[in-house]
Amino acid sequence: MIRSSDRDIRWLPGFNWITLCFFLFLYLPLIILVVFSFNATRSATVWDGFSLQWYVKAFSNDDIQNAAKNSLIIAAVSTLFSTVFATMAAIALGRNREIKHKTAFGGLLLLPLMIPEIVTAVATLTFFTAINLSWGIGNIIIAHTVFCIPFAYLPIQARLRGVDASLETAARDLYSDRRTTLLLITLPLLAPGIFSGAMLAFIISLDDFIITMMVAEAGSTTLPIYIYGLVRTGVTPEVNAVSTVLLGISVIAVLVSQWFAKKQ
């Protein structure tokens, strides 16, 4: 009989140190970035006192404001569309018994998660060029919507699996039509999963660089692209400040998404 203590891998030699090194490698650069965003001088490596001047300078920069506005607009609109499409797909595959080969359709829906993002970016750019699509930030919104659907779909699908289908059946037995059942029973029960998926889609869109870099046109600069342009001239506290703000938004969105996921 295998004891529970025998399954504990912490007895392996050096396991605790390996774990510590892993988390240091993962999070220490982020901590350094945040700390030096409050540096009083332009040095990105030598601490010389606490200051908020780089945040003031970043928020007063018109280019940064325009890039942030573009990022928020793109993320908000693409999140709305991708969440709607993901919800429709989850309900169709989870509740419609007439659809055949659901596993295949589900796999196709999640395929963008397995394809390298650079491949998706090149394919999207090629497609836009072939149809001569030039809608400014509209190009980015379309690309982000398609790319974010799988991220929104997974939490919604997980929530739908936990919803008792007999509740919807009971509503139909009480003479509720399909639309009323969807609006008053299914969607309210799916709300935590929908919100969690929307938060994931929002943060994926807000942070995306590769696809945005490929399909963005003049005047469609987003915050990640602008940060990349600043880094090419050297890392400064201003870059750290903008990156810290973006990191903070990402962390908050992920925490909110996890909180709603736990409510399931």
Side-chain angles (χ1 to χ4, degrees):
M1 182 177 180
I2 301 177
R3 296 172 297 178
S4 60
S5 59
D6 294 334
R7 303 191 194 99
D8 192 346
I9 64 174
R10 287 178 294 180
W11 63 270
L12 293 173
F15 176 79
N16 293 333
W17 285 107
I18 294 174
T19 304
L20 178 62
C21 291
F22 168 77
F23 282 106
L24 286 176
F25 178 80
L26 191 62
Y27 291 108
L28 188 59
L30 297 178
I31 295 174
I32 294 175
L33 180 145
V34 173
V35 170
F36 277 94
S37 69
F38 297 99
N39 197 6
T41 65
R42 293 191 62 86
S43 175
T45 57
V46 180
W47 179 258
D48 194 36
F50 181 87
S51 176
L52 294 174
Q53 62 173 320
W54 304 112
Y55 286 89
V56 175
K57 184 176 180 179
F59 282 110
S60 60
N61 188 314
D62 292 336
D63 293 334
I64 293 179
Q65 291 179 8
N66 292 332
K69 182 177 69 175
N70 287 340
S71 292
L72 291 175
I73 292 174
I74 293 169
V77 177
S78 61
T79 296
L80 176 63
F81 286 122
S82 62
T83 304
V84 170
F85 292 144
T87 303
M88 294 168 60
I91 294 175
L93 295 177
R95 290 293 187 262
N96 194 333
R97 298 179 181 179
E98 298 178 359
I99 297 179
K100 299 179 180 180
H101 310 295
K102 292 184 179 181
T103 303
F105 283 116
L108 288 175
L109 192 63
L110 299 177
L111 193 60
L113 296 177
M114 295 173 280
I115 297 177
E117 190 175 351
I118 185 63
V119 176
T120 303
V122 173
T124 304
L125 175 62
T126 303
F127 176 72
F128 286 169
T129 303
I131 64 176
N132 197 26
L133 186 67
S134 181
W135 288 356
I137 64 173
N139 288 19
I140 305 177
I141 290 174
I142 295 173
H144 282 201
T145 297
V146 176
F147 183 68
C148 290
I149 287 177
F151 294 94
Y153 173 78
L154 287 175
I156 299 172
Q157 181 196 41
R159 174 61 181 172
L160 185 63
R161 288 179 177 176
V163 172
D164 189 354
S166 63
L167 297 175
E168 299 165 88
T169 303
R172 297 299 304 275
D173 289 342
L174 294 173
Y175 306 103
S176 174
D177 56 28
R178 290 185 177 181
R179 180 163 50 171
T180 303
T181 302
L182 176 66
L183 295 178
L184 299 183
I185 303 297
T186 307
L187 289 182
L189 292 174
L190 288 180
I194 292 174
F195 191 86
S196 179
M199 286 293 98
L200 287 179
F202 179 83
I203 205 60
I204 292 297
S205 175
L206 187 67
D207 292 345
D208 183 79
F209 172 78
I210 298 178
I211 293 178
T212 308
M213 188 71 177
M214 284 290 183
V215 303
E217 298 180 341
S220 303
T221 301
T222 62
L223 205 52
I225 293 179
Y226 186 82
I227 292 174
Y228 174 73
L230 291 178
V231 171
R232 294 183 65 183
T233 61
V235 179
T236 65
E238 185 178 4
V239 176
N240 292 343
V242 178
S243 301
T244 300
V245 172
L246 194 58
L247 174 64
I249 295 174
S250 302
V251 170
I252 292 173
V254 170
L255 291 177
V256 172
S257 174
Q258 291 296 320
W259 182 76
F260 269 87
K262 289 182 179 179
K263 291 188 66 176
Q264 298 183 33

